[in-house]
Amino acid sequence: LKSSVPAQSSRRSNMGDGGFGKGFGGKGKDGKGKGKGKGKGKGKGKGRFADDKEWVPVTKLGRLVQAGKIASIEDIFLHSLPIKEHQVIDHFFAPGVLKDEVMKIQPVQKQTTAGQRNRFNAFVAVGDENGHFGLGVKCSKEVANAIKGGIIAAKLNMIPVRRGYWGAKLGLPHTIATKVTGKSGSVRVRLIPAPRGSGIVGSPVAKKLLGFAGVADCFTCSSGHTRTRGNTMKALFHCLKASYGFLTPDLWRPTHFVKGPFQEWSDFLATKDAKTTM
């Protein structure tokens, strides 16, 4: 028994810090082992959502944005490029411009053989109050992680919102351009342009989301089980997303097709790949 004690202690010292926590922990001897503790590794340990790390893009769009080849986020929306990294959104908006708010946190359960597994669902809205809006949903075991994941999901789902006028085209756009409809589950929401000064006529959820989108005046009409706030927010999101899907006469001008960013900067992307492979 005495001879086995130091062997066990040396075996534990070769493993990572901590006990039975999940994630890749301390990497053992000289940082090359395979520990299972709560270390500073990639897993569920500390530093998972650290913001002080330098952004290293992994997509073509991310590399072009970091290099300054894309001037504004409208160029991304114009060519319908998928955004896979939330740092792309942070690059175009100065700190403090993009506002976010947790709209709802609801507990969800899953029945298993060992009992019930409880998690939290977070709905987060993001917008700059100037024609850009995003809605994200994230489910996690902890509320903090659900909120952080919801903010990232909302940034990845950011869409442009088309605004227009009711009547004379005086001043800045204040309402939506046309009547639009969105549906999620049993909830159906319809947005109707309103005169200047009317404000947002709708539920508190509609007022909050349309305020994030930069719509000052709007009439709303909803039907279905609107008490389900998640479906109501998704229906409003689909409404705002459809605002640019309607072709009005002022958009009938001839379209001048230009090269997409990936085609325009193909030589830059090729040299960048060559450097990374070397």
Side-chain angles (χ1 to χ4, degrees):
L1 292 176
K2 293 182 179 179
S3 60
S4 62
V5 173
Q8 292 181 358
S9 62
S10 62
R11 188 179 306 168
R12 289 175 183 171
S13 64
N14 290 333
M15 295 179 66
D17 300 334
F20 299 97
K22 295 182 180 179
F24 300 96
K27 295 296 183 178
K29 192 175 182 180
D30 298 331
K32 298 181 180 179
K34 191 177 182 182
K36 294 184 179 180
K38 297 180 179 179
K40 299 180 181 178
K42 305 177 183 177
K44 299 181 181 178
K46 300 178 182 178
R48 182 179 179 187
F49 291 97
D51 295 329
D52 54 351
K53 294 182 180 178
E54 184 180 357
W55 175 36
V56 180
V58 295
T59 60
K60 291 182 179 179
L61 179 61
R63 293 202 295 269
L64 291 177
V65 169
Q66 190 182 50
K69 303 298 183 182
I70 298 180
S72 64
I73 194 172
E74 274 70 25
D75 295 337
I76 299 177
F77 294 143
L78 177 64
H79 297 280
S80 301
L81 302 178
I83 301 176
K84 300 295 184 181
E85 297 174 279
H86 67 93
Q87 291 89 348
V88 173
I89 302 297
D90 297 332
H91 178 84
F92 291 111
F93 294 96
V97 175
L98 206 61
K99 301 179 181 179
D100 56 79
E101 183 170 340
V102 180
M103 301 301 298
K104 183 181 181 182
I105 296 177
Q106 62 178 2
V108 293
Q109 292 179 337
K110 178 183 179 181
Q111 187 69 35
T112 61
T113 55
Q116 295 176 345
R117 188 184 68 179
N118 300 322
R119 294 197 298 176
F120 297 95
N121 219 4
F123 292 83
V124 182
V126 171
D128 65 344
E129 300 180 354
N130 192 24
H132 300 95
F133 174 73
L135 181 67
V137 186
K138 179 63 177 178
C139 191
S140 179
K141 293 181 180 179
E142 299 180 5
V143 177
N145 292 340
I147 293 174
K148 291 177 182 178
I151 294 174
I152 293 175
K155 290 179 180 179
L156 295 180
N157 291 331
M158 185 163 288
I159 58 172
V161 179
R162 186 184 178 194
R163 295 169 294 172
Y165 300 89
W166 186 94
K169 296 183 179 180
L170 300 176
L172 297 175
H174 62 97
T175 184
I176 57 174
T178 59
K179 298 178 182 179
V180 288
T181 305
K183 186 176 184 299
S184 177
S186 67
V187 180
R188 185 185 297 271
V189 177
R190 190 184 191 201
L191 301 181
I192 304 171
R196 192 183 297 272
S198 301
I200 300 174
V201 182
S203 63
V205 175
K207 291 181 180 180
K208 182 66 69 173
L209 296 187
L210 293 176
F212 275 147
V215 179
D217 308 295
C218 186
F219 295 139
T220 64
C221 176
S222 61
S223 63
H225 200 279
T226 55
R227 184 183 298 179
T228 307
R229 197 180 305 174
N231 286 342
T232 304
M233 290 186 288
K234 290 180 181 178
L236 282 165
F237 178 77
H238 293 155
C239 277
L240 298 175
K241 190 175 183 179
S243 62
Y244 266 107
F246 193 83
L247 188 63
T248 53
D250 57 347
L251 299 178
W252 288 356
R253 291 171 295 183
T255 304
H256 299 284
F257 295 99
V258 296
K259 293 183 178 180
F262 295 162
Q263 185 179 4
E264 183 180 0
W265 303 102
S266 58
D267 296 338
F268 170 80
L269 294 173
T271 55
K272 199 71 175 179
D273 289 337
K275 290 182 181 179
T276 56
T277 53
M278 291 176 62

